[in-house]
Amino acid sequence: MAAHQKPPKGDRPWVCGTEALATTSNVHHYYKYYKNYKIDLIQEFKEATSKGKGKLAQGARAGNEGINGRRAHLDGAETTMPGILGGARESKVAPTAEVQDSKMEARRATIEGEAKNLPETNGTHTSTHVAYTNGFAPTPPRPNRPMINAIDNLVGQLPPEIEHWTMGYVSMSGLVGRLVQETFNGIGDAINEMAEMTVPQPLTNGVVNHVNHRFGNPQSGDTSQANVQKKVRMFEFANSRRAQFIKVIVLSRWARQAESISKAIDLRIWLSRKQEDYNSAVSWMGELKRKLAAVKDPNPDIKTALEVLSVGEVSWLPDLGYLPLPHLSPQQILDSLRRINTLLSIRLNLHETIPPIFRNFSISSGRATFRVPDEFEVDLSIAEEDPCKQLYFIDFRPIFSPAPAALSVGRLREEFEARANEILGRRGLGGLFDFMHNLILTHKLTILRNQAFEMARGYWSEHVKIEPVRRSVVVQYWCDKPGGKNWIEVAIRRGKGGRIAYMEGEQRIPELAVRWFRGGTEVLDVKVDLKPRVLSMEYILKQIIAQHTNYTFTEMAAKMSHCLSYSSGRLRVKRRKSATNPADASLLVQITTSRAIKVIQEPVSGRFAILPASRLNSRAEYDLNRLATPAKEGANQITFLRAVASQEETEASARRVGWELVGPLHPGQETMQRLFPKGTQRTRFYRRSSWDPSWVLAFTTGLYGDCWWVVELFDRKRTLEATESTTTAPVLRAAYRISPDNSEPPIMEAPEAAIAQVERDAAGIISQFADTRHLAASKIPHRLQLAPPGNGGQRSMSIYIRLLGRQALPMLRSSNSLTLPWANEVVKLDYRGLNLTHSAAIHIATIRLNQPFSHVKDLATSMPGAAFHGPSGAFAIRLQNKVGGTSIPNLTQSLSAVERLRNFAAAVKAHGLKSTNTSLDRFEFIYQHLPRLLKATVHFPVNAPLYMTLSSPNPHLRIVDHLTARLRSQGLVIVLALMRMSLPLLTTFAQLESSTSPGYITILTRSEQWFQVRYAAPVPKGGFDVQLRQRRDDPKWFIPESSIRKSEPVSDEEKWQQSLERVTRGKGEGWRGMNGGIVGTLNGVQNAVEKLHAVFSSATSNVPEASRPGKRKAEGEIVEID
């Protein structure tokens, strides 16, 4: 890379090129016009700055060198402008519109230099050459100077390369040599240091033990402190040198890219220099402007000043016809506003102490807008750049309603502006906020006071009173109610200190607050939304009244909940709160199972109302409004109303749902006290005709409330005697209270629904008592436990039954067995209500599967009232029994049926088969797909033994009866094994029968393990047996040699015997002839059978056809078979 010659010491190395021309385009532009036209540099700079630096640079063409930067100082000394090289070359700059405008302005400006001889005077001026009138002198003719076209010669050429920087570079060879030298010196120093360390030599009786020393005996001198220090010194030296050489390796790899890195360094240094040139040029122009400031000051014209001050005009001063100041263009205005925005941002972020409440501000359009939420916005700006000068008020806008959108022009605005500017000058932003915040708070209080007077004259008249107090508003409500007074006070709550500590976040700012007095006592920590953005006294008063109403209803509900009727959950009390609208607050009270009332309080007058209107409700409403403290005494009135209403409908509701009223049982006072709680006043007994007659329902009412009971009678005969006589016999055996569920039923509940719920609960208690007694009698472990809430939130008791004996079971189980190895040992029995006729109880038995079996979902779908939950493995069965009876026998039957199906499915799956249809009455599975689909179905008839059926055609049809017998005695596992072992053989038999004419071959089935093959004409009469036997723990098919016989001679006896011997003494695929017969595998026996079949089929009988006893004499006769 070519390098420029370095500048002499003391001068700045300014390099000019295309980049330098673009960077300092404004400087070149101004200097060019000063040189050519001798214009004022400072005025030109200001005009160009207002129009933008970018526009002046648009006309610059690409140049390679700077222009001549010489100009004369005021004292005549000629210097070089920083950043411009002196020389004769100039850059050609095309004049733009802005340049032409600047030329015109320059011609009208004061001309220095060559323009000193161009006079500008008031009136007409006559010179030797030209006459001038008022105004600016015309532009003199431009001198005819030859243009320097040196830059034209450089157009199209590349700019000179930047200087290559080599200062501070170190060669790689020098670095390596230096490292080697340092290493050599270091190892020498290390050796010298090690030589100075004396190692003691071990002695043995005065003689050195060279043997031990040589072979590193632990007792030698190698372990001395000096020897260890030598080793450590050598290790430290080697380790440090190794680290230095690693660094050299890294540098050598990096040096491969040194050329590109060097270029980047050169470019960075060149850019830094350009930046320094630009800063120096700006500093030079600023210094020049500062020095010219004193030169521009005109001498004072005292004579003219005295005449103007005394007369008001100057008689000798003609109208000069000065042109008006030019209007600012939108771009100039925008630039000015942006500059003010920048100055405001710098001042507010660096110089001003802003209160925390004023931290939310924005800057735009030359002003800073400070916003206080829900109060006001104030605009401030600056008049000077000095950050020590004060801010000035621009505008003020309230941001709450009702309030004017802005200050109107007039005296108020003038006084407000003057006061704000005064505070800004003395106390700054903190004082301004203090002033405006207190002003806004006072104005808000005035608005609330006016609204309160409007309420007293309108809808709230005679119910509210207004008491105006200095900087506060007091409003009393519910003026005509008995008891203590109620009022609110809206005022300003001061902070902890006297004034606002703006820089301390823990100090509170003054704000509007509300104090509430209920019954003459102040309520602390009251929460009221004042809505400072939208002021409304009515809204504030409604919030207080709503809280008062909520308090009254809450106290009444709390006192009523202590009554047993409501604490037990049979009856409910529900209050509805409202934070803003007291008309929405209410108290819902369920006084009976079918009736409820709604207590409301009118917001304006505070009077109570009880809905719906009735004779009893009207009386309770009248008493409630007379109470001085309804929050404490109102609950007694509602409780009394409930007691009266409950007595009117209990018996009518029971009759409507179809219950029968049981006659007087005359249990006696002692029995009543033993079974029912103290304080019982009325008792009624009911029953369902379809239920067990030993159970009845009892309804009692008293001071504790209303209760339902399940009562167990002794025996039917004793009960009938008690109802027909007047004697007091102890017919009641036990009574169990029906506890209502903890759910939330509707407030308004129909009588039939309430009675139906009691009926369902009673049926569950009766059924579970029957089940637990049956389990106890059967000595089956069980436990009662409260079940978790259901879908409707209801909770009931569940019976957990533990199954004993988890050992393996035979294929078919007894219906009395409850040992289920495939399931969890605990069965959960839940009561789920009554059927449609209310005559039977419904139970759900749930058991969790430990070993999921196939088609359990199909099984659950096919079973009526069964379901299966896959993720949890739970299997549920629906049971139904008469109310008062037990469901345990039905549960035992269902579980036994499921267990049987599970065993069948497990057996099919163990043999790699697939079940297709599973239900309680049948079990279907596929045991062959190819070459033909073969299915088997096991049927489970009711009150009959199970049996098996096969699809036709099927090779196993000939042994289906034997398979059914095996299934009943030994189970499906043995049957599947027999079907698998006999399938190849039976398939071969079917093929042999289908390939020959009828009567030619006959297959006799002695059992599922013994088959006889018999041949008839035209072959010799005979055959062989095939038997399944165990050989070496493997099932094999065996054809006894003694069973292979013929009862008729053949034409070639010797040949037939030879063929037979080749089979009985030979071997083939899957079979082998042995002494005593032929042994074949399960799949190979078919080959042996085919061989024997070929032997019998190839023989020809010598018995005449007419002498055969089985000869067919006529069509349709039956052939006799031996």
Side-chain angles (χ1 to χ4, degrees), residues 855-876:
H855 296 286
V856 65
K857 293 184 179 179
D858 298 337
L859 174 61
T861 304
S862 61
M863 291 178 60
F868 175 73
H869 187 254
S872 63
F875 193 82

Side-chain angles (χ1 to χ4, degrees), residues 749-791:
E749 187 177 17
E752 291 80 4
I755 297 297
Q757 181 63 39
V758 172
E759 184 179 11
R760 286 192 296 270
D761 295 342
I765 294 174
I766 296 172
S767 299
Q768 289 182 344
F769 265 104
D771 291 338
T772 53
R773 287 177 180 175
H774 181 86
L775 293 172
S778 303
K779 297 182 179 180
I780 299 177
H782 63 280
R783 177 169 53 91
L784 274 172
Q785 183 175 338
L786 188 63
N791 295 333

Side-chain angles (χ1 to χ4, degrees), residues 829-1039:
L829 186 63
D830 294 320
Y831 168 72
R832 295 302 175 86
L834 298 170
N835 61 353
L836 296 178
T837 60
H838 294 255
S839 60
I842 299 174
H843 297 268
I844 299 296
T846 305
I847 187 169
R848 195 175 302 276
L849 304 180
N850 290 334
Q851 303 173 0
F853 52 91
S854 59
H855 296 286
V856 65
K857 293 184 179 179
D858 298 337
L859 174 61
T861 304
S862 61
M863 291 178 60
F868 175 73
H869 187 254
S872 63
F875 193 82
I877 304 174
R878 183 175 181 269
L879 306 174
Q880 186 172 324
N881 60 284
K882 181 180 178 181
V883 177
T886 177
S887 60
I888 301 303
N890 295 337
L891 173 63
T892 304
Q893 271 189 342
S894 299
L895 293 179
S896 299
V898 173
E899 179 189 4
R900 179 179 56 192
L901 292 176
R902 200 280 309 181
N903 291 334
F904 278 28
V908 169
K909 184 177 181 181
H911 285 78
L913 307 180
K914 181 180 179 182
S915 57
T916 57
N917 189 359
T918 304
S919 63
L920 289 180
D921 58 349
R922 60 185 301 178
F923 182 80
E924 184 178 284
F925 60 92
I926 299 174
Y927 63 94
Q928 178 177 296
H929 291 274
L930 294 175
R932 180 184 298 173
L933 185 66
L934 300 179
K935 293 183 179 180
T937 305
V938 180
H939 299 268
F940 311 105
V942 181
N943 299 325
L946 53 84
Y947 62 93
M948 175 181 287
T949 59
L950 302 174
S951 59
S952 181
N954 194 313
H956 287 100
L957 283 174
R958 64 178 73 249
I959 63 171
V960 64
D961 295 335
H962 299 280
L963 294 177
T964 299
R966 286 277 191 174
L967 180 64
R968 294 173 181 174
S969 60
Q970 298 181 358
L972 187 61
V973 176
I974 301 301
V975 172
L976 291 176
L978 290 174
M979 295 175 70
R980 179 179 59 85
M981 292 184 292
S982 61
L983 179 60
L985 179 62
L986 295 179
T987 302
T988 304
F989 288 162
Q991 293 175 355
L992 295 179
E993 288 179 341
S994 61
S995 62
T996 58
S997 57
Y1000 178 76
I1001 183 173
T1002 302
I1003 309 298
L1004 301 179
T1005 303
R1006 302 296 297 269
S1007 69
E1008 68 276 9
Q1009 303 178 17
W1010 186 5
F1011 301 95
Q1012 292 181 341
V1013 182
R1014 295 293 180 260
Y1015 292 91
V1019 300
K1021 186 176 181 181
F1024 56 90
D1025 294 353
V1026 182
Q1027 299 175 4
L1028 182 64
R1029 295 183 181 180
Q1030 195 83 5
R1031 187 172 185 271
R1032 296 179 182 176
D1033 297 332
D1034 290 332
K1036 303 288 185 179
W1037 287 105
F1038 182 67
I1039 303 176

